[in-house]
Amino acid sequence: FEYMMNRLRLSSSFSLDDYEMKTGSAKTNIMTLLLQAQEQGLMQQQHENWQVTNKGHRFLNHLLEMFL
């Protein structure tokens, strides 16, 4: 989850394909967490990319804890 810890701190988006390529883990491993973060307004999906919302940056510690 080191990849996610670093990506969530950035304002740029990332794709699940990039996640798979960088981590070697299947994107299905984090999909549930991404959807939970989206339901809480902490992340948003735009086409194939995911990005931290303004609210997600304000509550970054909570968002990071979700991916531990």
Side-chain angles (χ1 to χ4, degrees):
F1 289 102
E2 184 178 316
Y3 173 81
M4 288 304 294
M5 297 297 128
N6 290 326
R7 290 301 307 179
L8 295 175
R9 289 182 173 98
L10 302 175
S11 58
S12 60
S13 63
F14 65 94
S15 70
L16 292 180
D17 290 336
D18 189 41
Y19 169 82
E20 280 187 322
M21 185 177 66
K22 301 283 185 182
T23 66
S25 295
K27 53 187 160 189
T28 55
N29 292 345
I30 64 162
M31 199 59 207
T32 301
L33 296 172
L34 289 172
L35 292 173
Q36 288 174 357
Q38 184 179 36
E39 287 175 11
Q40 294 178 28
L42 303 174
M43 303 232 16
Q44 62 186 2
Q45 183 181 16
Q46 297 174 331
H47 305 287
E48 297 296 317
N49 293 321
W50 286 87
Q51 186 172 17
V52 177
T53 63
N54 288 335
K55 180 181 178 182
H57 283 289
R58 287 193 314 269
F59 296 96
L60 185 59
N61 286 339
H62 174 69
L63 182 57
L64 292 171
E65 286 175 5
M66 291 177 70
F67 289 90
L68 286 178

